[in-house]
Amino acid sequence: VFILIFLAIFADLLAPYAYDKADFTKVRLLPFKDPAHLLGTDEVGRDFLSRLIYGARTSMTVALVVNCIALFIGIPLGGLAGYLGGKVDFLVSRLIDVMTAFPGLLFAILVVSVWHGGFWNVIFALSITSWLGIARLVRGQVLSLREKEYVEAARSVGAVQSHILYRHIIPNTLGPLLVAISFGIPGAMFGEAGLSFLGIGINDPIPSWGKMVGVGGTYAKLAWHLAVFPTLAIALAMLGFSFVGDGLRDALDPKMIE
């Protein structure tokens, strides 16, 4: 995960070429055949190592922005629903139930099919349903925390509800939220890769691992690396974040502390 973040931040310095620089005299070079292109070139002669490095930036940016939007929407809605209860809880819960009925990826496909692909359209499509899990998690946490002794103590000294919610309750939900985000990031990366694989996600020439897999599959017999390397990149990124999520869950779960 650290390597992935490092590549995303310093892609301009680490990539040997610009991601859109094409050389039509060196099309579909295999890896390690040309010292100038260590991992070969793609179907139009662009350096494949550079495309992979810049693809890390695309995937990480989409995943982080989508999860920031999920937090921005999910925390207030879930917090208000759990703390206020009553009609607010009913309305928010029914909204979550209705939105959950739509499969996230299929809903994103519908959105980008109508609004067309593109970097920000992909983020918008994935963000529409990304906040549901966060809101449900925060609501459940707030329901269990609002009756704690320190909350009752804050009420007894006259603290207003907004202060109690955002000063005493929400901070105590950060542990589960960190775990949820660590699993949400690979989910968003996979969603972007799926849309780009179908050709309705990130548009050329911006590199995307999913789009690279989709295009590379066409040339699998001639240039195996075009599909294999981005597939491995997606798999390693999702595996890494999944391990981080498991580690955070174990570290932040009080039941796991001996």
Side-chain angles (χ1 to χ4, degrees), residues 180-223:
I181 290 299
S182 65
F183 286 112
I185 288 176
M189 293 177 66
F190 186 76
E192 179 273 318
L195 294 175
S196 299
F197 176 82
L198 296 174
I200 55 177
I202 304 298
N203 294 328
D204 279 335
I206 299 175
S208 163
W209 288 342
K211 194 173 191 68
M212 293 165 73
V213 173
V215 174
T218 307
Y219 305 99
K221 294 183 178 179
L222 299 174

Side-chain angles (χ1 to χ4, degrees), residues 57-245:
R57 172 179 289 181
T58 301
S59 297
M60 284 299 302
T61 303
V62 170
L64 290 177
V65 173
V66 167
N67 279 275
C68 286
I69 294 174
L71 291 174
F72 182 77
I73 298 175
I75 290 178
L77 285 180
L80 291 174
Y83 187 74
L84 298 179
K87 293 182 179 180
V88 175
D89 186 24
F90 176 82
L91 291 175
V92 172
S93 297
R94 297 295 76 75
L95 176 62
I96 293 175
D97 292 339
V98 171
M99 294 296 294
T100 304
F102 296 96
L105 186 57
L106 293 180
F107 197 75
I109 291 174
L110 174 63
V111 172
V112 294
S113 297
V114 174
W115 293 93
H116 305 294
F119 184 80
W120 292 108
N121 285 343
V122 168
I123 290 176
F124 173 73
L126 295 174
S127 299
I128 292 177
T129 57
S130 65
W131 59 273
L132 298 175
I134 298 296
R136 188 182 293 111
L137 174 64
V138 172
R139 175 184 175 273
Q141 290 292 310
V142 172
L143 283 173
S144 64
L145 293 173
R146 67 180 184 180
E147 304 301 332
K148 296 293 185 180
E149 290 80 2
Y150 59 86
V151 176
E152 293 294 337
R155 290 196 189 102
S156 68
V157 297
V160 297
Q161 290 186 344
S162 60
H163 176 82
I164 294 173
L165 179 61
Y166 290 103
R167 178 64 180 85
H168 297 286
I169 296 180
I170 294 298
N172 286 285
T173 67
L174 291 181
L177 278 177
L178 286 175
V179 177
I181 290 299
S182 65
F183 286 112
I185 288 176
M189 293 177 66
F190 186 76
E192 179 273 318
L195 294 175
S196 299
F197 176 82
L198 296 174
I200 55 177
I202 304 298
N203 294 328
D204 279 335
I206 299 175
S208 163
W209 288 342
K211 194 173 191 68
M212 293 165 73
V213 173
V215 174
T218 307
Y219 305 99
K221 294 183 178 179
L222 299 174
W224 56 269
H225 65 290
L226 296 183
V228 171
F229 287 151
T231 300
L232 290 175
I234 295 172
L236 290 174
M238 297 192 67
L239 187 65
F241 276 105
S242 296
F243 283 160
V244 169

